[in-house]
Amino acid sequence: MNIRSLKQLFGYAHILLGLAVAGQFVASPTYDVATSTDVWDVISFAMAVGAATALVVSLMRIREAGKPPDRAATTMLIASGCLFLLFYRLWLSWEVYDSAETPPWEIRLLLWYFIDVLFVIVSITVGRYLLRTAKSPASP
């Protein structure tokens, strides 16, 4: 499998994951809490992978951009880094390890809202970048 097909695969995966999170974010208030929680638990594992790969792709884009990197690459790196830190801090402390050091329920809910919206923006942006560079003639 060459780089171009990997970029396309990850690009489509990021876009689909971003759309899935957006759909769940909008649809989750329409059904019961237990079902919503079960769906979010499944999506959260995919979001963990998506947040990590978005950060890696953003770091690769900064390296490809040269010195000084362009604003789009820098913005994508900052957004991916913020998403990575916020997501993993809240997900690991609350969902995975059930830490006693979690914020109150209302604050967690607001943080999850912010993370979900930021995830959709970052994931679709990363996916579009990967698809755009996969189709460029300079890509191997």
Side-chain angles (χ1 to χ4, degrees), residues 51-127:
T53 58
L55 183 62
V56 169
V57 168
S58 298
L59 287 168
M60 289 174 22
R61 183 176 179 183
I62 285 286
R63 290 192 58 160
E64 290 173 359
K67 295 185 183 179
D70 61 350
R71 286 187 187 194
T74 305
T75 304
M76 192 166 109
L77 177 64
I78 292 169
S80 298
C82 288
L83 173 66
F84 181 85
L85 291 173
L86 285 171
F87 177 83
Y88 275 95
R89 169 65 172 93
L90 194 57
W91 186 62
L92 290 175
S93 71
W94 183 33
E95 296 285 331
V96 177
Y97 296 113
D98 197 23
S99 172
E101 190 187 308
T102 57
W105 170 251
E106 295 82 13
I107 302 297
R108 280 189 302 216
L109 195 58
L110 283 175
L111 284 171
W112 277 120
Y113 287 167
F114 179 74
I115 290 168
D116 293 340
V117 171
L118 183 61
F119 185 87
V120 170
I121 294 167
V122 167
S123 189
I124 290 176
T125 302
V126 167

